[in-house]
Every structure is written in structure tokens, then in C-alpha cells.
Amino acid sequence: MKKVVIAGCCVSRDFFNYDRMKNYEVLKFMQLNPISLQNAKEEGIDILPDFHKIIWKSNFIKHCAECALKNCLITSVLAPKGEILVLDLAEERIPKTIIEFRGKQVVVAKHSFCESMFDLMGKGDYLDAHVKDIRFNAMPWDEVVLNYNNFVDKILSQYKEENIVIIEIFMSERFIDKDYNIVGYDENNSGFSQKYIADVNSYLEKCYQLLYALLPKAKKIRIPKGILTTYYHRWGGTPLHFITETYEYLIKCMDILTGISYENTCDSLYEELKMKNEMLVRIFGSRRES
């Protein structure tokens, strides 16, 4: 059983649920901590008692939020002794908040999962905290590059480059709704406009190219652009909650890249997933027209 550590979004975690042969053991999964925020100082702000009084959605979300405030993703990723490190950059899509507190500053992803933490700023133990919201892509690019370099330098102290797998994930523009229609995301049905999705995907492309340049020997699994998402995903319909075939594709590719399977190639599976997606588009499209 290969031991895996994951830093990324829910997609990179969820496809291991399709590991029916139990080839992998996920030692750690870290979410809500974009690589672009991991500065070299690894200095965050203090965790005070009021932080622990928050009613969190789960202990996992609490841990990820605490890691964000402490700016300790790198430490968390290196703590378990994994054989394979899985990375994706989809968390770069999240708007960010600059928090200044007691002479320290940290930039964190402003995800709705952590809404109670942001409500806490300026109150109680964090009365002196000052916050400023910024767009997902508002950080100076030279600072992003510096932080990516810092992250890569640190993880290469423990992981061979060939044992790092990068999952290329972009937000989907369309989903299958509850009535089996294929519709585009918009602010009315999801809060995600097509412009926002296009802007995010453009920024993600830039970040992936940066990471590929820093890790040229890392293995890659690409999710084809345009893959549908679905209302019937276990977590609901959002631009990252893909059809089941996507997760089955990812675990098959992982098996190939880790030498567990030799029955196909990732390139062939990529084309096959595109074909299945196109079949769904045609099926549901013709159904709607009839």
C-alpha cells in the first residue's frame, strides 16, 4: 500500500475513494491553503482561545484554518512520511484576506467554510486584528513566484521530484442540473459567473505553468477542460464537483504513474474521458431539444 499526502482541493482527495483495490493510504490531506501564500518566513498569527470556541463544520476544517493562520502548510505536508505527494492548484481560485494582528501579517484563503473565523477578527481576543479582502489573483506575481519557489525547495527536501504528482484541475463552465439539463454556471444558479470562471482558469493556467517549470520531472495528470460537473455530486453542484467518470479516470492514471497498472496510458485515458464527456453532452443536449 503506497502512502500518499495530498495538498489541494477536494477533487484530489475524492478520487482516492475510487481506489477499490486499496492500493493507497492517504496519510494527510490539506485544503484551503494555496501554495501562493506559503512565504519563506512561515510566520503566521497567534491562535488564541476564541479561535477554539468557534463551532467548526469539522475538525478537519478547523485544522486547515489553523494551518492557514499559522502559515504552516509546508510543515503539515512534510510531517507525515509519505511516498507520494499529490498537488493541485485549484485552491488558488479562492479570494484572499490579509490579516494584520499584533505586528504580524498573514494572507489566508477566504473560504466560506471558515466564515466564522473571519467574523471573529476585530472582536474578543482578536479585537486588534485588521483585515482586508483581495481578489484571488491580487497578489503581486513576483511574490507568488517567490512563494512557489519556497514551497518547492522545502518539499524537495523530502520527496523525490519523480514521486510528486500534479493534478491539473480547472473550473467547469457547465453542469448537469437536477432535471438532467446541461446548463452554464451563472450568478443566479450558483454564484459563479462565466467571467469569474474564465478569469480563475486563466490564473490557474499561469500557476500550473510556474509549478511545471519548478518541477519538470514531476508526474502530471490532466483533467480535460470542459468536463461536466453535476448537481448529483455528493457535495452538490459546483464548478469542481465533476461527473463520476472523472474520478475513475484519475485513479486509473494514478495506478499507471505509480507502476500498479500497465493496461493503458494516461494519454489514451485522457482522450477516452473527453469522448465520454462529449457523449453526455450529445445525449443530454438531444434530450433537451426533443
Side-chain angles (χ1 to χ4, degrees), residues 222 224 249 252-253 256 263-276:
R222 299 174 298 146
Y249 156 77
K252 287 180 181 178
C253 286
I256 292 167
E263 67 180 29
N264 211 326
T265 67
C266 290
D267 287 343
S268 293
L269 291 175
Y270 177 89
E271 294 300 328
E272 187 177 89
L273 179 59
K274 284 173 60 179
M275 178 187 67
K276 290 178 180 178

Side-chain angles (χ1 to χ4, degrees), residues 179-196:
D179 298 316
Y180 315 124
N181 298 312
I182 295 177
V183 297
Y185 284 102
D186 60 46
E187 291 183 355
N188 294 323
N189 65 25
S190 64
F192 300 101
S193 70
Q194 288 291 311
K195 183 180 186 308
Y196 171 75

